[in-house]
Amino acid sequence: MKKIEICIIFFMICLLSFISCEFESKKPKNDTPEQTDNIEEESKSEEEEEIQLSSIKTKYGFSKRGEPVLLSCSAVPTEENHFIKYPWYKSADGSMENGTLIEGANGTNLVTEGFSEKGILYYYCVVTETIICEDNTINNISRTIPFSVIYTSLPIVQIDTVNGEEPTGEAITYEEGGGNYGATLKNETKVPARMYIYKDGQENAVYDSGEYNKDAKTGLTIKLRGNTSAFSEKKPYKIKLQKKADLLAGILPGRDSSYKDKEWILLKDATSLNTFVGMAVADIAGTPWTPEFAFVNVVINGDYRGVYLLIEAITKNEKRINVSDNGYIIERDAYWWNEDVKFITSLYNQKYTFKYPDDDDITDNPDLQSYIENYMNELEQHIQNGTYEDYIDVESFARWLLIHDILGTWDGAGSNCYMIKNDNTENSKVYMATTWDYDTNYREKDVFATQHYSGRAYGAWLLSNINTAVKDSYKSQWETVSISLWNTLLSKIEELQNLQGEDINLSRKCDAIRYDTKSNSIENEINRIEDWFTSRTVWLNTAISDL
């Protein structure tokens, strides 16, 4: 009897051990290579047991008109006698547990359901490899792949590059480039592509660049842009069309053919209202031209890249910066050391590069650079002497500094400081162009913006100058602007919120899924922005009166 009891107990222990092993082997694994099963009987390494995915298609999908979307993933068996199956699940909230198994969906492809309303649909596939051991026992290893598909009414920018090539660039630091600060890109590839723009679920594109053909002037090139921003996972891009077009014509009302240009930018700063607020403040302050833009969702080579701002670039154009053919657009450039054509002033050691004329034109005609370089050297001498009014447009310099002070920007080095001169005669002065870089808004609380103290836009020397013309204009403009600044800005934000708030919030949520970040709603931003402008106005009233 005792022998029988011992045998039964031993059998139960073995059975429980086997069940435990089977349970562990069948647990789904998430999409991280380091998580693998350890099957001692097989004596395989973790690397050998990791399911090797051969392709994933539309992991972050986009539905233009609410139509179904094809999702796909496939894997390579670790050994020939293994086989793989692909059960698909629908998730209610994006989690990869307790999803609903989709009946009949066990292959590499899944066609999602269509959308009945705007939103995000979540799916996941548990890629499962079945291993038949030498003793005829069966083990499974699995890997869970999440998918999400978005449908909104925001315009869609779809870019398909030739052969699916991705724009690239090489990192370079200021130490390597011989500069003072910063890191940026060099040898950026210009990738040929075709672009479509869709609006409001329309079947036909409101813009189609055509296939890339340099001779026929169709298509475009796309390249990485930015400096430190180019090193993040979400990339900013510069687009250059083969033929001028207004990419906002089908998106924004009231646009005509005079807005055409070849150069456009996809700014990644659409997950906040920083650029929207910055441009709005510049417009309220009276800047003659501020770039227009639209919130868009971007899909490149079938891959959803997130929500962006499609925005006008800083270029010579009668609807942008309208200088004459013998005029100049120069940039006080923190990354001058990465440019071939540049100059450094002799008095204040300011580093400048060119937006217009083109570098090639300057190389062919060095006198183009000599003129503006000499002019800027004279300008600086007159700033030092307090006799600058014949060289700079006082109102535009004061306004540019005031905008930065209102926003409390921190970036003093790379804040995109553009200056323009209409022609190469003594009849034109240097003007400050639009403000541009707003990613450090609201950083300088209860102090002036960095540009106020910095010499990089001559702010420190102009506001403390024996000639008070810039300071007087600065104070006068604040008195005028401050009266209705917040109310006017709030009305602009509320207009955006009413027209596109739901779609922007939804797109930001999908962007956050794409890049594993947190999503912020426009409603939350409005509260923070109101707090800033309420306190900032009080502080500036006192600080500016004390200048």
Side-chain angles (χ1 to χ4, degrees):
M1 186 65 180
K2 290 183 178 180
K3 290 183 179 181
I4 295 174
E5 289 175 350
I6 293 172
C7 289
I8 291 173
I9 293 171
F10 179 79
F11 174 79
M12 292 299 295
I13 292 173
C14 292
L15 180 61
L16 289 171
S17 177
F18 175 78
I19 291 171
S20 175
C21 178
E22 282 293 287
F23 176 79
E24 288 298 318
S25 68
K26 291 180 180 180
K27 278 185 179 179
K29 294 171 9 181
N30 62 22
D31 190 15
T32 51
E34 58 272 14
Q35 289 184 312
T36 58
D37 292 327
N38 180 20
I39 304 174
E40 293 181 357
E41 294 84 351
E42 292 293 312
S43 299
K44 292 184 178 180
S45 67
E46 290 186 355
E47 182 178 357
E48 289 175 322
E49 290 193 45
E50 173 64 37
I51 292 179
Q52 300 300 314
L53 297 175
S54 55
S55 70
I56 300 178
K57 181 179 181 181
T58 326
K59 187 174 182 180
Y60 308 100
F62 204 98
S63 177
K64 296 186 182 73
R65 299 173 296 277
E67 75 280 5
V69 173
L70 175 66
L71 310 180
S72 176
C73 66
S74 59
V76 178
T78 56
E79 293 188 17
E80 292 183 1
N81 63 333
H82 299 177
F83 61 92
I84 297 177
K85 53 186 178 180
Y86 304 84
W88 290 82
Y89 296 78
K90 184 178 179 182
S91 172
D93 57 6
S95 67
M96 293 187 289
E97 296 180 356
N98 302 319
T100 302
L101 179 65
I102 301 173
E103 187 176 351
N106 198 32
T108 56
N109 296 334
L110 173 72
V111 177
T112 70
E113 61 187 63
F115 288 82
S116 58
E117 59 184 4
K118 293 178 289 187
I120 303 175
L121 295 178
Y122 303 99
Y123 298 88
Y124 61 91
C125 181
V126 182
V127 183
T128 306
E129 180 176 359
T130 299
I131 303 170
I132 303 176
C133 303
E134 292 181 357
D135 58 359
N136 291 326
T137 59
I138 295 176
N139 287 327
N140 291 326
I141 59 173
S142 59
R143 184 170 175 179
T144 302
I145 314 299
F147 293 81
S148 57
V149 183
I150 183 176
Y151 170 47
T152 81
S153 294
L154 277 190
I156 303 164
V157 173
Q158 176 184 327
I159 299 174
D160 300 320
T161 66
V162 175
N163 298 323
E165 181 183 354
E166 289 287 326
T168 60
E170 300 173 24
I172 181 173
T173 63
Y174 71 90
E175 293 97 342
E176 297 170 302
N180 304 105
Y181 34 67
T184 188
L185 295 173
K186 66 175 182 177
N187 299 328
E188 304 96 310
T189 57
K190 297 179 181 179
V191 179
R194 182 174 189 169
M195 179 168 65
Y196 308 85
I197 299 178
Y198 297 91
K199 181 185 177 185
D200 295 338
Q202 297 176 10
E203 184 172 356
N204 296 321
V206 297
Y207 173 78
D208 179 1
S209 69
E211 296 286 351
Y212 180 79
N213 187 315
K214 192 172 183 178
D215 294 332
K217 294 185 177 181
T218 57
L220 58 102
T221 57
I222 179 172
K223 60 178 285 190
L224 298 177
R225 76 167 299 276
N227 297 302
T228 54
S229 61
F231 298 105
S232 61
E233 184 181 1
K234 184 180 181 183
K235 308 294 186 185
Y237 299 97
K238 181 176 181 180
I239 294 168
K240 187 166 186 178
L241 307 176
Q242 291 294 301
K243 183 179 181 181
K244 288 183 179 181
D246 181 11
L247 300 185
L248 299 176
I251 301 175
L252 301 179
R255 305 272 295 189
D256 58 47
S257 60
S258 63
Y259 291 88
K260 292 181 179 179
D261 202 285
K262 288 185 177 182
E263 296 187 24
W264 299 83
I265 289 171
L266 286 170
L267 277 184
K268 65 178 186 176
D269 181 29
T271 53
S272 78
L273 291 179
N274 279 16
T275 294
F276 180 91
V277 170
M279 292 297 185
V281 169
D283 186 57
I284 294 168
T287 305
W289 172 75
T290 55
E292 291 202 68
F293 58 89
F295 286 82
V296 298
N297 281 301
V298 175
V299 179
I300 300 178
N301 296 328
D303 179 39
Y304 176 66
R305 300 299 171 91
V307 59
Y308 281 75
L309 299 179
L310 174 61
I311 188 169
E312 296 174 316
I314 304 287
T315 60
K316 176 184 179 298
N317 184 309
E318 64 178 10
K319 290 293 187 177
R320 296 185 183 180
I321 298 180
N322 189 22
V323 298
S324 64
D325 290 343
N326 58 351
Y328 292 87
I329 306 172
I330 58 176
E331 179 182 2
R332 197 288 168 198
D333 194 347
Y335 302 91
W336 57 274
W337 44 266
N338 196 40
E339 300 294 332
D340 294 328
V341 180
K342 67 248 182 184
F343 66 91
I344 303 174
T345 58
S346 56
L347 180 59
Y348 290 137
N349 196 37
Q350 300 294 286
K351 288 88 173 177
Y352 288 100
T353 58
F354 290 85
K355 302 296 289 185
Y356 181 84
D358 293 333
D359 286 0
D360 290 343
D361 293 335
I362 296 172
T363 301
D364 293 339
N365 183 3
D367 288 344
L368 293 174
Q369 177 171 325
S370 297
Y371 170 78
I372 194 66
E373 184 174 346
N374 291 335
Y375 188 92
M376 295 304 293
N377 282 328
E378 292 178 20
L379 178 153
E380 291 185 358
Q381 189 63 59
H382 282 278
I383 289 176
Q384 186 181 60
N385 296 339
T387 55
Y388 54 75
E389 290 181 76
D390 288 337
Y391 281 79
I392 69 169
D393 177 72
V394 167
E395 182 180 359
S396 68
F397 273 77
R399 178 173 53 237
W400 192 90
L401 292 167
L402 177 61
I403 292 167
H404 278 283
D405 281 336
I406 291 172
L407 296 170
T409 57
W410 167 82
D411 192 351
S415 56
N416 301 95
C417 176
Y418 299 104
M419 300 181 191
I420 57 180
K421 192 174 188 300
N422 187 56
D423 56 41
N424 59 358
T425 72
E426 61 183 14
N427 297 321
S428 67
K429 303 177 183 180
V430 169
Y431 287 71
M432 290 297 294
T434 182
T435 46
W436 176 269
D437 194 339
Y438 305 105
D439 59 353
T440 63
N441 286 6
Y442 325 127
R443 295 274 190 93
E444 298 294 82
K445 185 178 181 181
D446 294 341
V447 293
F448 287 113
T450 302
Q451 290 291 1
H452 187 105
Y453 302 107
S454 168
R456 297 188 179 104
Y458 304 115
W461 298 304
L462 289 170
L463 290 171
S464 62
N465 202 281
I466 57 174
N467 182 340
T468 63
V470 168
K471 182 171 70 174
D472 293 344
S473 177
Y474 173 95
K475 298 175 76 169
S476 175
Q477 289 186 62
W478 170 245
E479 289 178 4
T480 302
V481 169
S482 62
I483 295 172
S484 59
L485 173 61
W486 171 242
N487 289 335
T488 305
L489 176 60
L490 181 60
S491 67
K492 289 177 178 286
I493 297 174
E494 288 179 338
E495 181 181 11
L496 174 71
Q497 183 183 25
N498 293 334
L499 291 175
Q500 295 184 306
E502 181 182 353
D503 289 309
I504 292 172
N505 287 341
L506 188 59
S507 299
R508 286 180 175 184
K509 187 175 181 181
C510 203
D511 187 290
I513 295 170
R514 173 68 172 80
Y515 295 104
D516 193 23
T517 58
K518 292 183 178 180
S519 175
N520 192 19
S521 69
I522 289 179
E523 292 75 18
N524 288 339
E525 279 198 271
I526 290 176
N527 295 331
R528 180 171 64 91
I529 294 167
E530 182 175 12
D531 289 343
W532 169 266
F533 277 90
T534 300
S535 61
R536 189 66 170 176
T537 300
V538 172
W539 184 85
L540 283 174
N541 280 333
T542 301
I544 291 176
S545 66
D546 291 340
L547 283 177

